[in-house]
Amino acid sequence: MNKKGTYHYNTEALYDATVEALKRRGVALKDIAEIVYTLQKSYRDDLTMEMCMENVDMVLKKRECIHGILTGISIDEAVEKGLFPEPIQSIIANDEGLYGVDEILPLSITNLYGSIGLTNFGYLDKEKIGIIRQLDRSKEKVVNTFLDDIVAAIAAAAASRIAHYIPGDIRPEEKDK
Amino acid sequence: MNKKGTYHYNTEALYDATVEALKRRGVALKDIAEIVYTLQKSYRDDLTMEMCMENVDMVLKKRECIHGILTGISIDEAVEKGLFPEPIQSIIANDEGLYGVDEILPLSITNLYGSIGLTNFGYLDKEKIGIIRQLDRSKEKVVNTFLDDIVAAIAAAAASRIAHYIPGDIRPEEKDK
Amino acid sequence: MNKKGTYHYNTEALYDATVEALKRRGVALKDIAEIVYTLQKSYRDDLTMEMCMENVDMVLKKRECIHGILTGISIDEAVEKGLFPEPIQSIIANDEGLYGVDEILPLSITNLYGSIGLTNFGYLDKEKIGIIRQLDRSKEKVVNTFLDDIVAAIAAAAASRIAHYIPGDIRPEEKDK
Amino acid sequence: MNKKGTYHYNTEALYDATVEALKRRGVALKDIAEIVYTLQKSYRDDLTMEMCMENVDMVLKKRECIHGILTGISIDEAVEKGLFPEPIQSIIANDEGLYGVDEILPLSITNLYGSIGLTNFGYLDKEKIGIIRQLDRSKEKVVNTFLDDIVAAIAAAAASRIAHYIPGDIRPEEKDK
């Protein structure tokens, strides 16, 4: 589709690198699944933590999601080490009030999951449930400017996957083979 | 995910209604597949019209795409019959210079297919290949304000599906089961 | 920028038509300003209802916002009269669970106001403060499928305008002359 | 609007840093203005290079645009120095085929300018006019993965500003005071 270079990593290796990067920054998949459970429990009586884990996992296997997650975490880590030039180094380090790139980058994740992904992301960005709140509070010590929004996006995307699954109907993705 | 009403149509019936609506407005799936072929032929030596048709078909089976297509066509038809109140009736009927809702609504289709879907849509909106140009030219007689952008979005989405398919790798959607 | 028709209405007339259309559907500008006040009061000690009204007004004077508002309201009204073909007539009338075009169309409003507009919109879509909740509850009698999201978008946009105003700094829009 | 830190830089200083960063990466404002001229010349007989320069300048004075530009350039520079961890270091360095974050980040610029900004960006992403083509070709020596898309976004935004200016009507931004 474009003149860009060819692709060297397979999705298996990229998935592993993504789970590892999240872990390195203090986020377990279970933490994200818990947010998904909170978001969706009032809409589905049959919801289990296992379903939430499974759907988080599916999101993390999409290349576009992987790219967004790894890019965002790399920015946080580079800024934590003071590697970006001023003034953007300080702006990101302080997550300054009008800095909004951390909310734009996760659109590479939420957009793929339709309007439910989008609105859930906006909700989580303000409500900061579970691990998102912890990440937000730890900002005085570490740089999590992008990470909290990325976790919100993964949870919003997984919640949207669950919302789109209609028992008795065919799951959109299964049609896609 | 929300307090909205439950869903009564299955995707099979919705798909049929969508193909029928496009046909009623003068667009055959083959017309869209030809745009996809033009977009992608320089990137894949093995591209066939059959692959393009198949990928257009997959896009038309997604509920979010179906909703976008049927809503856009219904607006065109309502305006064609003069059913919208002024001033928006004239603005849509004339596809006035700064009216941009017809380019926003198809984001419900292109967003689902990542950044390649988005940039291809922008390209087609300006270059107006094949049936898109015909629809654009017929605007003096019929209202196709939304239709040409919808066709561009379907073609852009199908092209993105093809671009994301890496032989020897697992197709993202197949992972999603 | 495009081959579309030239523009016949001036923004003054379009603004009046927009305020009138909102009123016809039961929404006063004051209702929207109250949501803005709720959203922003914890961030600015000096916030007044007058500032909120003024910022709602500014949003309603942008052509792209006007187009989004008038298009959404026209869809609601057409569906209320049963003018759209099936199956989309029922899908919109019932605001069915996976129908998401009503959340995509208001992006024509929120996108213009950056990431704060976007996340506030997602938040309001779930929390349904003030008039948004009333519109949502009246859905059994009238069709407000698009209207509640449009009101959320206007409020989110106005809130973003306020958030971007930094006393002592130059307001971005004032730079734009 | 959020719990983020307060803002220390004024827009004057940020604007200077942005022009300087673009220059450091080989992009003069005149290069961007030339793309704008090419995009818009067929729509306005009265278009001058001066108008294009002026509109590029206005885009560069918006905080959200500045943030997007400086973040993207910092990623390119960090990757050029090999500072990001694998596998994302190689993916960005090679601008691999399915990497799309470089097309998502500039939405922080184009979104602010409505649907014309969006479609022009998609067009430039494929057509690569002027300096964008030069940046794309220099990718074997330097990392310009984000820069070419950022330049396309600035040009698309400036073109949209010009398209929205209707002589005899009031410019939307002037209403915004």
Side-chain angles (χ1 to χ4, degrees):
Chain A
M1 194 58 273
N2 44 58
K3 305 290 184 191
K4 295 173 161 197
T6 48
Y7 219 85
H8 302 104
Y9 293 95
N10 64 41
T11 46
E12 210 73 35
L14 289 173
Y15 169 81
D16 291 343
T18 304
V19 175
E20 174 56 35
L22 286 166
K23 200 178 157 192
R24 188 171 73 228
R25 303 299 294 173
V27 179
L29 302 202
K30 201 174 141 287
D31 300 327
I32 310 178
E34 274 167 13
I35 303 169
V36 179
Y37 189 82
T38 306
L39 278 176
Q40 287 298 116
K41 68 184 168 189
S42 57
Y43 303 108
R44 297 191 85 98
D45 295 335
D46 60 340
L47 191 71
T48 62
M49 265 296 286
E50 205 180 354
M51 275 170 70
C52 295
M53 278 296 280
E54 191 191 307
N55 279 279
V56 167
D57 224 51
M58 289 299 109
V59 172
L60 296 180
K61 278 173 178 157
K62 287 233 177 196
R63 261 172 210 269
E64 301 237 5
C65 298
I66 288 167
H67 291 155
I69 297 165
L70 293 180
T71 304
I73 289 177
S74 298
I75 297 172
D76 278 351
E77 292 182 332
V79 169
E80 203 169 283
K81 293 175 198 155
L83 300 174
F84 272 19
E86 286 298 344
I88 201 70
Q89 165 71 32
S90 299
I91 292 171
I92 301 178
N94 298 323
D95 200 0
E96 290 196 357
L98 299 175
Y99 187 70
V101 182
D102 48 335
E103 280 108 24
I104 293 293
L105 188 143
L107 294 180
S108 61
I109 301 167
T110 52
N111 271 351
L112 302 176
Y113 294 91
S115 56
I116 300 177
L118 185 76
T119 53
N120 269 327
F121 173 65
Y123 176 76
L124 288 175
D125 183 78
K126 275 188 81 76
E127 285 299 290
K128 301 192 189 302
I129 299 172
I131 182 79
I132 301 174
R133 182 157 302 279
Q134 286 176 48
L135 292 171
D136 191 58
R137 281 188 183 149
S138 66
K139 281 184 182 175
E140 274 151 56
K141 286 165 266 168
V142 289
V143 175
N144 283 332
T145 300
F146 280 82
L147 185 60
D148 58 349
D149 295 301
I150 282 167
V151 169
I154 301 168
S160 176
R161 282 195 98 248
I162 292 172
H164 276 91
Y165 176 71
I166 302 166
D169 191 27
I170 298 159
R171 184 184 283 225
E173 291 88 348
E174 284 173 354
K175 284 262 172 182
D176 255 0
K177 278 178 291 189
Chain B
M1 194 58 273
N2 44 59
K3 304 290 185 191
K4 295 172 161 198
T6 47
Y7 219 86
H8 302 104
Y9 294 96
N10 63 41
T11 47
E12 211 74 35
L14 290 173
Y15 168 81
D16 291 344
T18 305
V19 175
E20 174 56 34
L22 286 166
K23 199 178 158 191
R24 188 170 74 227
R25 303 299 293 174
V27 179
L29 301 202
K30 200 175 141 289
D31 299 328
I32 309 179
E34 275 167 12
I35 303 168
V36 179
Y37 189 82
T38 305
L39 278 176
Q40 286 300 114
K41 68 183 168 191
S42 57
Y43 303 108
R44 298 190 85 99
D45 295 335
D46 60 339
L47 191 71
T48 62
M49 265 297 286
E50 206 180 353
M51 276 169 70
C52 295
M53 278 296 281
E54 191 191 305
N55 278 280
V56 167
D57 224 51
M58 289 300 109
V59 173
L60 297 180
K61 277 172 180 158
K62 287 233 178 196
R63 260 173 210 269
E64 300 236 5
C65 297
I66 288 167
H67 291 155
I69 297 165
L70 293 179
T71 303
I73 289 177
S74 298
I75 298 171
D76 278 351
E77 292 182 332
V79 170
E80 204 168 282
K81 293 176 197 154
L83 301 174
F84 273 19
E86 287 296 345
I88 201 71
Q89 165 71 30
S90 298
I91 292 171
I92 300 178
N94 298 324
D95 200 0
E96 290 196 357
L98 298 176
Y99 187 70
V101 182
D102 48 335
E103 280 108 24
I104 293 294
L105 188 143
L107 294 180
S108 60
I109 300 167
T110 53
N111 272 350
L112 302 176
Y113 294 91
S115 56
I116 300 176
L118 185 76
T119 53
N120 268 327
F121 173 65
Y123 176 76
L124 288 175
D125 183 79
K126 275 187 81 77
E127 284 298 290
K128 302 191 189 303
I129 298 172
I131 183 79
I132 301 174
R133 182 157 302 278
Q134 287 175 48
L135 292 171
D136 191 57
R137 281 189 183 147
S138 66
K139 281 183 182 175
E140 275 152 55
K141 285 164 266 167
V142 290
V143 175
N144 283 333
T145 300
F146 280 83
L147 185 60
D148 58 350
D149 295 302
I150 283 167
V151 169
I154 301 168
S160 176
R161 282 195 99 249
I162 292 171
H164 276 91
Y165 176 69
I166 302 166
D169 192 27
I170 297 160
R171 182 185 285 226
E173 291 88 349
E174 285 173 354
K175 284 261 171 183
D176 255 0
K177 277 177 292 186
Chain C
M1 195 57 273
N2 44 59
K3 304 289 185 190
K4 295 172 161 197
T6 47
Y7 219 86
H8 303 104
Y9 294 96
N10 63 42
T11 47
E12 210 73 35
L14 289 173
Y15 168 81
D16 292 342
T18 305
V19 175
E20 173 57 35
L22 285 166
K23 199 177 158 193
R24 188 171 75 227
R25 303 299 293 173
V27 179
L29 301 202
K30 201 175 139 288
D31 299 328
I32 310 179
E34 275 166 12
I35 302 169
V36 179
Y37 189 81
T38 306
L39 279 176
Q40 287 298 116
K41 68 183 167 190
S42 57
Y43 302 108
R44 296 190 86 99
D45 294 336
D46 60 340
L47 191 70
T48 62
M49 265 297 286
E50 204 180 355
M51 275 169 71
C52 295
M53 277 297 280
E54 189 191 307
N55 279 280
V56 166
D57 224 51
M58 290 300 110
V59 173
L60 297 180
K61 277 172 180 158
K62 286 232 178 196
R63 261 171 210 270
E64 300 237 4
C65 298
I66 287 167
H67 291 155
I69 297 165
L70 293 179
T71 304
I73 288 177
S74 298
I75 298 172
D76 277 352
E77 291 182 331
V79 169
E80 203 168 282
K81 294 175 196 153
L83 300 174
F84 272 18
E86 287 296 343
I88 200 71
Q89 165 71 32
S90 299
I91 291 171
I92 300 177
N94 299 321
D95 200 359
E96 290 196 358
L98 299 175
Y99 187 70
V101 181
D102 48 335
E103 280 108 24
I104 293 292
L105 189 144
L107 295 180
S108 60
I109 301 167
T110 52
N111 272 350
L112 302 177
Y113 294 91
S115 56
I116 300 177
L118 185 77
T119 53
N120 269 329
F121 173 64
Y123 176 75
L124 288 175
D125 183 78
K126 276 187 81 77
E127 284 299 291
K128 301 189 189 305
I129 297 173
I131 182 80
I132 302 175
R133 181 157 303 278
Q134 287 175 48
L135 292 171
D136 191 57
R137 280 191 184 147
S138 66
K139 281 185 182 175
E140 274 150 56
K141 286 165 265 167
V142 289
V143 176
N144 283 332
T145 300
F146 279 83
L147 185 60
D148 59 349
D149 295 302
I150 282 166
V151 169
I154 300 168
S160 175
R161 281 194 102 248
I162 293 171
H164 276 91
Y165 176 70
I166 302 166
D169 192 27
I170 298 158
R171 182 182 286 226
E173 290 89 348
E174 285 174 354
K175 285 261 173 183
D176 256 0
K177 278 177 291 187
Chain D
M1 196 58 274
N2 45 60
K3 305 291 184 188
K4 295 172 161 198
T6 47
Y7 219 87
H8 303 104
Y9 294 96
N10 63 41
T11 47
E12 210 73 35
L14 290 173
Y15 168 81
D16 291 343
T18 305
V19 176
E20 174 56 34
L22 286 166
K23 199 177 159 193
R24 189 171 74 228
R25 303 299 293 173
V27 179
L29 301 202
K30 200 175 140 288
D31 299 327
I32 310 179
E34 274 166 11
I35 303 169
V36 179
Y37 188 82
T38 306
L39 278 176
Q40 286 299 116
K41 68 183 168 191
S42 57
Y43 302 108
R44 296 191 87 99
D45 294 335
D46 60 340
L47 191 71
T48 61
M49 264 298 286
E50 205 180 354
M51 275 169 70
C52 295
M53 278 296 281
E54 190 191 306
N55 279 279
V56 166
D57 223 52
M58 289 301 109
V59 172
L60 296 180
K61 277 172 180 159
K62 286 232 179 196
R63 261 171 210 270
E64 301 236 5
C65 298
I66 287 167
H67 291 156
I69 297 165
L70 293 180
T71 304
I73 289 177
S74 298
I75 298 172
D76 278 352
E77 292 182 332
V79 169
E80 204 168 281
K81 293 175 196 154
L83 300 174
F84 272 19
E86 287 296 345
I88 201 71
Q89 165 71 31
S90 298
I91 291 171
I92 300 177
N94 299 322
D95 200 359
E96 291 197 355
L98 299 175
Y99 187 72
V101 182
D102 47 336
E103 280 108 23
I104 293 294
L105 189 144
L107 294 180
S108 60
I109 300 167
T110 53
N111 273 350
L112 302 177
Y113 294 91
S115 56
I116 300 177
L118 185 77
T119 53
N120 269 328
F121 173 65
Y123 176 76
L124 288 175
D125 183 79
K126 276 187 81 75
E127 284 299 290
K128 301 190 189 304
I129 297 172
I131 183 80
I132 302 175
R133 183 159 301 280
Q134 287 175 47
L135 292 171
D136 191 58
R137 281 189 183 146
S138 67
K139 282 185 181 174
E140 274 151 56
K141 285 165 266 168
V142 289
V143 175
N144 283 332
T145 300
F146 280 83
L147 185 61
D148 58 350
D149 295 301
I150 282 166
V151 169
I154 300 168
S160 175
R161 281 194 101 248
I162 293 171
H164 275 91
Y165 176 70
I166 303 166
D169 192 27
I170 297 158
R171 182 183 286 225
E173 290 88 350
E174 286 174 354
K175 284 261 172 181
D176 255 359
K177 277 176 291 186

